[in-house]
Amino acid sequence: MANIKPAEAAAPSLITSFFGRPLPLYFSAALLRVLLLLYGLWQDANTPVKYTDIDYLVFTDAARFVSHGQSPYARETYRYTPVLAWLLLPTAQTTGNPVWDVAWFSFGKVLFAAADLVAGWLLVRLLTGKKRPMDAATARKFAAIWLLNPMVATISTRGSSEGLLGALVTALLWAVLARRVTLAGLLLGFGVHFKIYPFIYAPAIVWWMDSDRMAVGHGSSGSTRKGSSHQAQLSRLDSITAFITPARLRLALVSLTTFLGLNIFMFKLYGTPFLTHTYLHHITRIDHRHNFSPYNTQLYLTSAFPDLSALRIESVAFLPQLLLSCLLIPLVMAKKDLPTAMLAQTFAFVTFNKVCTSQYFLWYMIFLPLYLPGSSFLRSPTKLGIPALALWVVSQGLWLQQGYELEFLGRSTFLPGLWLASLGFFLVNCWILGIIIGDCNGTKEKEL
């Protein structure tokens, strides 16, 4: 009897051991991406359906043009900042050795996969911040939603640059919550230049940065609520004056200077094609292939019959999208829970976007580890969490089945199949968005 060990001394479970230290998680995440990279090389060499994303070929072609002293926009359909082509210049290296040539060509995929890991590390930092009670092991479990997600790893290793955006956005959120305003401004300005859509976070960040929250450096208890009741008594002019704080001015100045500085520099290098392909193209964009959006069919009709389409939906589709993501959601949610507000903004932006591809899902998936710990989906997994995930996957699968018949089998499934599948996926996403917003509004203001 004396040799019997108490229950507390029992060996920890495998899951506890795995997340108890950082090395197993990050090693597994890196190994997953290495295996997918190697599998991708095999698939590209042996099957007619390639693993490498067509976008990666566009990126690397643009990098090849740059390496020869030409404009990246000499590559047709390159719609990105020249910075991306510059980052991928190593992919243009040729050595004459097939193995090394393949290795250099895969440099961008490795870069994007490494950015995934950086984003995951930043998520752990955010989850274990001073104002969050979460321990490191639990934080790593939630970060695994991103780090061990096969969808995230596959998209990055196929050559999509969304991993870079994930790292950039998490770094921006960390800088804001750490009250590092200058760094946040630099990241925001660069992020908008790099991919445009991070501009939606500016209203939420600015609204969150009230004088009481920023004055205390690392948060305080009760000051924001007192400040809010005091501001309600101010005159309209005094309210406007109170809104214009040093932190908000510095964020606006640094981010705007960074954004304009980069754009002026790029315009001097590449002229009008830079503005046309990087920014103006998105206003009249009519991509309909691989597009989950309900606008899909209308965009197809516009592209097929441009002279017969009376309604140029592609030029006005952004109005409801921006109303939700840039105005309503920030006003309602930002001061209560900034990470959840940014999740809701991104979810609304992607859901209501006229072009919605699977790569865009990573834009909001990066916020899930920050939102899920206190969400309704985990509080009621059987009644809400699992059904929501199942509906999201199934509705997406139904669209993919219709899209496969259209794009691979040549069957016209636009009406009613593809349109109904797009509408179903849209409605599922709207329902999930409503739950996210409801979760934020049902909680007290968080001091971060």
Side-chain angles (χ1 to χ4, degrees):
M1 295 293 292
N3 294 328
I4 297 178
K5 296 181 179 180
E8 290 77 10
S13 68
L14 183 62
I15 294 178
T16 302
S17 299
F18 182 84
F19 290 107
R21 295 177 294 118
L23 181 60
L25 173 62
Y26 293 116
F27 176 79
S28 299
L31 180 61
L32 172 64
R33 286 156 177 79
V34 169
L35 293 175
L36 287 172
L37 283 168
L38 294 175
Y39 169 77
L41 295 177
W42 177 87
Q43 182 174 325
D44 285 345
N46 294 279
T47 67
V49 179
K50 305 303 181 184
Y51 182 82
T52 300
D53 195 298
I54 186 64
D55 285 345
Y56 189 70
L57 302 181
V58 174
F59 302 160
T60 53
D61 285 349
R64 193 172 299 110
F65 278 114
V66 171
S67 71
H68 291 112
Q70 298 176 264
S71 167
Y73 303 104
R75 202 312 181 175
E76 188 178 358
T77 73
Y78 184 77
R79 314 291 190 188
Y80 312 90
T81 171
V83 172
L84 181 57
W86 297 353
L87 288 173
L88 299 187
L89 277 174
T91 64
Q93 293 284 339
T94 54
T95 64
N97 184 312
V99 175
W100 278 109
D101 287 348
V102 169
W104 280 118
F105 179 76
S106 301
F107 169 82
K109 298 179 181 179
V110 175
L111 175 65
F112 302 152
D116 281 351
L117 302 182
V118 172
W121 175 77
L122 286 168
L123 286 171
V124 174
R125 291 286 303 272
L126 287 166
L127 286 166
T128 55
K130 291 184 178 180
K131 291 297 179 180
R132 289 179 178 267
M134 189 175 293
D135 61 273
T138 304
R140 285 190 281 269
K141 290 179 183 179
F142 283 102
I145 296 170
W146 172 268
L147 287 168
L148 300 183
N149 191 318
M151 183 177 183
V152 173
T154 299
I155 287 176
S156 291
T157 55
R158 290 187 67 213
S160 177
S161 62
E162 310 311 326
L164 290 175
L165 267 296
L168 188 62
V169 169
T170 48
L172 170 63
L173 178 58
W174 176 84
V176 172
L177 297 181
R179 277 72 171 178
R180 301 194 178 187
V181 180
T182 301
L183 177 59
L186 290 170
L187 290 169
L188 181 60
F190 179 75
V192 177
H193 169 80
F194 193 86
K195 198 68 173 183
I196 303 179
Y197 88 88
F199 81 90
I200 67 175
Y201 303 132
I205 293 171
V206 168
W207 188 234
W208 182 86
M209 280 183 169
D210 57 54
S211 57
D212 297 288
R213 182 176 277 108
M214 299 306 294
V216 295
H218 295 285
S220 66
S221 59
S223 61
T224 303
R225 184 171 298 177
K226 292 178 182 178
S228 298
S229 62
H230 175 65
Q231 287 182 7
Q233 301 172 8
L234 298 176
S235 68
R236 181 172 299 179
L237 180 60
D238 289 337
S239 297
I240 294 173
T241 304
F243 179 82
I244 304 174
T245 63
R248 285 167 171 158
L249 285 174
R250 195 187 340 158
L251 179 77
L253 179 62
V254 173
S255 59
L256 189 61
T257 301
T258 303
F259 176 72
L260 291 178
L262 285 168
N263 286 341
I264 291 170
F265 179 63
M266 297 302 174
F267 182 76
K268 286 185 175 181
L269 288 178
Y270 301 112
T272 303
F274 159 70
L275 293 178
T276 301
H277 294 288
T278 306
Y279 298 112
L280 301 180
H281 160 75
H282 296 280
I283 299 176
T284 57
R285 184 181 181 188
I286 53 175
D287 299 356
H288 60 87
R289 295 173 66 86
H290 320 298
N291 184 1
F292 290 85
S293 170
Y295 295 116
N296 182 311
T297 303
Q298 179 63 38
L299 294 179
Y300 168 75
L301 293 174
T302 301
S303 64
F305 310 103
D307 298 329
L308 299 179
S309 179
L311 178 61
R312 304 296 297 189
I313 192 69
E314 68 276 7
S315 298
V316 297
F318 63 88
L319 293 176
Q321 176 189 34
L322 296 186
L323 178 64
L324 273 174
S325 59
C326 294
L327 181 61
L328 299 180
I329 290 174
L331 284 175
V332 172
M333 299 177 62
K335 289 197 176 187
K336 295 180 178 178
D337 187 345
L338 183 60
T340 301
M342 293 172 70
L343 165 63
Q345 285 180 279
T346 316
F347 207 99
F349 188 87
V350 172
T351 298
F352 285 82
N353 200 27
K354 64 183 177 183
V355 177
C356 178
T357 65
S358 56
Q359 289 94 326
Y360 296 178
F361 301 159
L362 269 64
W363 295 0
Y364 57 73
M365 288 175 69
I366 188 66
F367 294 107
L368 289 180
L370 304 174
Y371 158 71
L372 285 176
S375 70
S376 296
F377 296 111
L378 287 192
R379 287 198 300 269
S380 303
T382 56
K383 293 183 178 179
L384 197 59
I386 295 175
L389 177 61
L391 282 173
W392 189 79
V393 172
V394 169
S395 60
Q396 189 178 158
L398 291 174
W399 188 97
L400 290 171
Q401 185 270 331
Q402 293 293 313
Y404 174 80
E405 289 194 17
L406 173 68
E407 297 185 17
F408 288 90
L409 303 182
R411 299 172 185 167
S412 180
T413 60
F414 281 106
L415 291 172
L418 195 67
W419 183 77
L420 289 176
S422 298
L423 187 59
F425 186 63
F426 172 77
L427 293 175
V428 168
N429 279 280
C430 288
W431 173 61
I432 293 174
L433 176 62
I435 294 172
I436 295 172
I437 294 173
D439 278 349
C440 186
N441 290 336
T443 60
K444 294 182 178 180
E445 183 173 324
K446 293 186 177 181
E447 291 293 339
L448 296 169

